[in-house]
Amino acid sequence: MAQIIDGKAVAAKVRETVRVETEALKEKGITPGLAVVIVGDDPASRTYVNNKKKACAQAGIYSEEYALPASTTQAELMELVEKLNAKKDINGILVQSPLPEGLDETAVVEAIAPEKDVDAFHPSNVGRIMIGNFHFLPCTPAGVIELLKSVGVEISGKNCVVIGRSNIVGKPMAMLLLHENGTVTICHSKTRNLKEICRQADILIAAVGRRRFVTADMVKPGAAVIDVGINRDENGKLCGDVDFAEVEKIASCITPVPGGVGPMTIAMLLRNTITAAKLQNGVET
């Protein structure tokens, strides 16, 4: 049976480190600040935002929430982003996605000052990740790397397969594995021989958004399996992209859903906020 990677425990360690760093910054007269913008009333988005606010409070990070109605115009949202760019007490800006229909998410991301882009979605930060000269890492992929290291998985020289090519997870995940000297294959909806490719993976990362998509016959015995997916099963219960019950029997380690990657995303957001506060105040990172 596979070792279960406890995302809650690993995230708690990261958050404690952030709390200690926050205290050290406050002693220098610097209080890290994060602004979270939510547009509309998407229930999942509201849950995420509440969790982020709670995590900030526990870490000692100052946070502001801007809850805008679904009727908010593009101009109004852009005006708010510009206002937050100029606010000295705000080091990080996060605009919760998805935005309501009719709003241009790409334009909003590009309007955020790169030094305050704690999601690491701005093209400038994406480019920095590509060349390996980055300040911030996208929260979910960075969390995955932390989870692998927490159980002693060696990435260097390993065959790493990422299922999914989104800008939020799949593509940056591949780059981070490459920076760790993994040999990386990205699979997607047009990939041929998906099962055979996955079975060669020493490290298999599923970020496809389809419940129990990864079955036991797709997994090499002894592989490390990371499940980024958050789906609902036929009973409305949370589940991932991996058939956990079957894959657990043959993998060396595996993340559960919930309690795996999810807690890490917020922990890494806090870390990025601290990094932003340091950079903007000339403190060595």
Side-chain angles (χ1 to χ4, degrees):
M1 294 290 276
Q3 177 183 358
I4 310 297
I5 306 174
D6 186 346
K8 288 181 182 175
V10 180
K13 287 180 182 174
V14 173
R15 283 158 69 154
E16 177 56 21
T17 302
V18 168
R19 190 191 65 75
V20 171
E21 287 190 57
T22 302
E23 287 301 316
L25 284 174
K26 285 180 176 178
E27 286 174 13
K28 298 180 193 296
I30 302 164
T31 299
L34 175 69
V36 181
V37 180
I38 178 170
V39 186
D41 51 8
D42 179 75
S45 291
R46 171 42 64 195
T47 300
Y48 287 140
V49 167
N50 288 347
N51 287 341
K52 285 166 185 171
K53 281 166 59 182
K54 186 178 172 185
C56 281
Q58 289 171 345
I61 293 172
Y62 168 69
S63 69
E64 293 180 350
E65 181 191 309
Y66 294 83
L68 308 178
S71 58
T72 298
T73 65
Q74 186 77 23
E76 288 168 338
L77 185 52
M78 299 293 267
E79 188 182 340
L80 173 59
V81 170
E82 283 307 317
K83 177 182 151 192
L84 294 172
N85 280 340
K87 280 196 79 172
K88 297 290 186 197
D89 60 342
I90 292 298
N91 306 112
I93 303 169
L94 184 148
V95 178
Q96 183 65 46
S97 62
L99 292 174
E101 203 174 326
L103 293 176
D104 185 345
E105 203 160 311
T106 301
V108 173
V109 167
E110 292 184 4
I112 296 171
E115 66 273 15
K116 294 191 176 188
D117 168 39
V118 287
D119 263 334
F121 292 163
H122 190 284
S124 171
N125 288 324
V126 173
R128 281 181 166 276
I129 293 160
M130 177 67 75
I131 62 175
N133 177 26
F134 47 80
H135 297 307
F136 310 116
L137 291 174
C139 301
T140 300
V144 169
I145 297 293
E146 288 284 329
L147 290 174
L148 288 169
K149 290 182 175 179
S150 76
V151 290
V153 172
E154 177 68 44
I155 300 170
S156 182
K158 296 292 179 62
N159 285 332
C160 307
V161 173
V162 180
I163 313 175
R165 53 176 167 179
S166 73
N167 290 333
I168 295 174
V169 180
K171 289 177 188 173
M173 187 74 255
M175 288 310 306
L176 297 200
L177 290 164
L178 196 56
H179 289 324
E180 295 286 341
N181 299 313
T183 301
V184 186
T185 303
I186 305 176
C187 296
H188 45 79
S189 57
K190 298 290 190 287
T191 299
R192 296 177 182 175
N193 304 321
L194 177 66
K195 187 184 291 186
E196 288 78 2
I197 294 169
C198 289
R199 276 189 64 84
Q200 293 171 27
D202 302 306
I203 299 169
L204 180 61
I205 298 171
V208 70
R210 290 172 61 183
R211 69 187 187 197
R212 302 193 186 109
F213 178 79
V214 176
T215 49
D217 60 349
M218 295 169 69
V219 179
K220 174 183 179 180
V225 180
I226 305 289
D227 191 347
V228 181
I230 300 177
N231 313 291
R232 296 274 177 186
D233 67 12
E234 53 280 0
N235 302 313
K237 200 174 167 190
L238 278 177
C239 67
D241 290 350
V242 176
D243 184 350
F244 184 89
E246 293 304 312
V247 172
E248 183 193 11
K249 296 173 185 174
I250 59 171
S252 63
C253 57
I254 187 170
T255 56
V257 176
V261 175
M264 293 301 299
T265 300
I266 292 179
M268 303 317 284
L269 169 69
L270 299 180
R271 179 183 282 179
N272 281 350
T273 303
I274 291 291
T275 300
K278 288 179 177 178
L279 288 168
Q280 289 160 42
N281 286 280
V283 177
E284 199 171 316
T285 56

